Amino acid sequence: MQQTMEPVTRPEWMPPRLSTVDLIRWATSIYCRALDKLNERQAKKGLKPKAIPDKWTVKAPGSFDRLGGGMIGVYSQTAGISCVARTVACVDVCYAGADWFVNDRWNHTASNFEFTDAAMAHASNLMAWLTDPRGWERQLDSQLTILELQGVKYFRINGAGDLLPGQPEAWQRLISRHQKLYCWGYTRSWADNELLPPILSLANKSNMSLWASVDRVNINYWLDVGMPLGLAAVLVNGEADYTYLLTKLYNAGIRDPRRVEIFPDHKLRKNTKGYYQVNEVRYTTCPKDRGVKAKVPITCLICRLCVDRAPISI
């Protein structure tokens, strides 16, 4: 695994870390906002309003019709407030509604929040962790067991949100107990001095592919601290980012294209090429995000470039 230097100072672009009390306040507020929206629809249908649950539960769904007939598991928690190392580049385009949750600005590409059930589930997952971490782990342990019995082989950590203190260690224990599942995820929490060591330990698990999420804001810091995780999930916000970011990776010695995956912002996707070349290296763009047309929809389950095709030893 890529060796890293100890970060000396907290990067200027990182937001102040929220306390547990503040996180609970934010997550509760987000849940209630989504619940109010849901109850408006309930009232129009003449149905009884739903109430805040007595106990927060964890949901890690294991089946999606849009995944080419296959099944994966996904765990998510509220974006933005759970992202300790978020940047202005990722918040502005976050599909999971981070800009709304953090800055109270609605982003029309934030498709996850069009569904109040998703917003409530993400907030419930986060609240379960914040109020009872051991109970959170027990609930996930049971759900991962069920997914394994259903024949699910792949599980994504944090389809929305990011790793909070204590979660990398919890995921290490969960992944170790569920060796039949191959897990993957993307994180910006590598930039947090406290979180980096357990994140590196999590990435070393044989059934885990963990990518460092980088963009034009945090890439220099990632390079300065030794390229932790060694796998770069590159968020591209504009055409100029392709040359700027990929040239930086090339000059840093990352010339194995399996170590880089490009994720274009929504506004770029219709004009996105399958790869971008720097000298002799072709860096691949996420097939799903660039809207590849095929008889079977291109999905993470079918593609697996980020899942199990990344180099095992870096």
Side-chain angles (χ1 to χ4, degrees), residues 278-303:
V278 180
N279 296 326
E280 77 282 6
V281 181
R282 291 182 173 184
Y283 296 106
T284 308
T285 304
C286 170
K288 181 178 183 296
D289 277 3
R290 72 174 184 263
V292 170
K293 302 297 182 182
K295 291 182 179 180
V296 177
I298 300 296
T299 66
C300 296
L301 185 68
I302 292 172
C303 169

Side-chain angles (χ1 to χ4, degrees), residues 11-31:
E12 294 180 358
W13 49 263
M14 274 186 68
R17 184 188 288 180
L18 294 173
S19 67
T20 300
V21 172
D22 285 337
L23 280 170
I24 289 174
R25 178 176 60 83
W26 273 98
T28 303
S29 174
I30 290 165
Y31 187 96

Side-chain angles (χ1 to χ4, degrees), residues 145-166:
T145 298
I146 293 172
L147 293 179
E148 287 179 314
L149 292 172
Q150 291 175 331
V152 174
K153 295 182 179 180
Y154 297 100
F155 188 89
R156 179 173 172 182
I157 294 175
N158 288 339
D162 209 340
L163 295 165
L164 289 168

Side-chain angles (χ1 to χ4, degrees), residues 120-139:
M120 291 163 65
H122 295 180
S124 180
N125 287 348
L126 179 56
M127 286 295 293
W129 166 259
L130 295 171
T131 57
D132 183 10
R134 291 184 179 181
W136 176 93
E137 186 172 336
R138 286 194 300 270
Q139 289 187 63

